[in-house]
Amino acid sequence: MGTRARWFRVRRLLGFQGMRRFEREYTEAGDLVGVADMETLQVGHALTVEEPT
């Protein structure tokens, strides 16, 4: 399976606590989040940054 990279701007990150969703400003490695307004993102896809801070 080939690797495909796509650039997009994350507009909102959603964190989860039980059944409650809340907006997050940042995440850390291992956090499970929802990404709003990204139509082609599917379960199992990984998000990365070009140069980690």
Side-chain angles (χ1 to χ4, degrees):
M1 193 177 284
T3 301
R4 294 183 352 202
R6 293 183 184 209
W7 291 89
F8 69 96
R9 180 179 302 271
V10 174
R11 300 196 190 282
R12 289 187 350 168
L13 289 175
L14 301 172
F16 299 92
Q17 186 172 24
M19 296 296 289
R20 189 175 75 86
R21 290 188 303 192
F22 56 95
E23 204 162 331
R24 298 186 69 156
E25 289 189 30
Y26 65 91
T27 63
E28 297 178 4
D31 287 347
L32 298 176
V33 297
V35 179
D37 302 326
M38 180 60 190
E39 294 176 4
T40 60
L41 190 64
Q42 297 179 4
V43 172
H45 285 172
L47 299 178
T48 63
V49 294
E50 187 174 2
E51 297 179 25
T53 57

